[in-house]
Amino acid sequence: MGGRIFAEMDLLFRDDQALMREALRLATKAAASDEVPIGAVIAKNGRIIGRGYNQVEMLQDPTAHAEILAITQAAATVGDWRLNDCDMFVSDVRGSGCSCAIAAGGFWMRRFTRRRRWWPD
């Protein structure tokens, strides 16, 4: 029985790694466009329902942060602005304002089951 619990945890860990790798891939895409290198992924039941990377400069839109774009896409995917039981994965840099923008609209953040961030050393 104990082995089964650990197997489930290992699967979750592998899924988390894959989802974070996708957020990092999107951050690389942002960097290639001379944007702040941040990518975001939103998943529900392990399936990606929203992706985004910083596009502030490209779109000349101060709200075109990775997290906001991922939330917008995820809401469109599920057909509801309530992203209950979803997980958000964000590649981030310390001191970034992007996640602060999301936190200010805390009603979104409370709906996420888990929020995972990666900060480079």
Side-chain angles (χ1 to χ4, degrees):
M1 178 135 169
R4 181 172 172 244
I5 292 171
F6 289 120
E8 288 172 9
M9 289 172 59
D10 287 345
L11 179 60
L12 180 62
F13 182 66
R14 283 194 301 273
D15 290 347
D16 283 0
Q17 286 180 330
L19 292 165
M20 186 55 76
R21 274 194 302 276
E22 177 62 8
L24 292 168
R25 185 190 71 77
L26 292 166
T28 301
K29 192 171 182 176
S33 301
D34 291 327
E35 298 280 354
V36 175
I38 297 176
V41 172
I42 298 176
K44 185 167 188 153
N45 299 323
R47 187 178 136 256
I48 294 175
I49 60 170
R51 290 178 172 88
Y53 62 92
N54 276 3
Q55 298 179 49
V56 173
E57 298 297 332
M58 181 172 44
L59 299 176
Q60 290 295 292
D61 179 352
T63 67
H65 291 272
E67 301 91 332
I68 297 287
L69 296 173
I71 287 170
T72 300
Q73 189 179 77
T77 299
V78 299
D80 191 349
W81 67 270
R82 295 172 190 89
L83 297 175
N84 294 327
D85 302 319
C86 292
D87 300 321
M88 177 183 268
F89 294 80
V90 181
S91 67
D92 206 343
V93 292
R94 294 172 206 247
S96 167
C98 301
S99 292
C100 294
I102 298 295
F107 64 94
W108 276 324
M109 294 305 279
R110 284 192 303 270
R111 293 184 181 279
F112 288 114
T113 304
R114 299 180 306 142
R115 291 169 295 284
R116 299 289 179 255
R117 298 173 70 166
W118 176 82
W119 287 292
D121 288 334

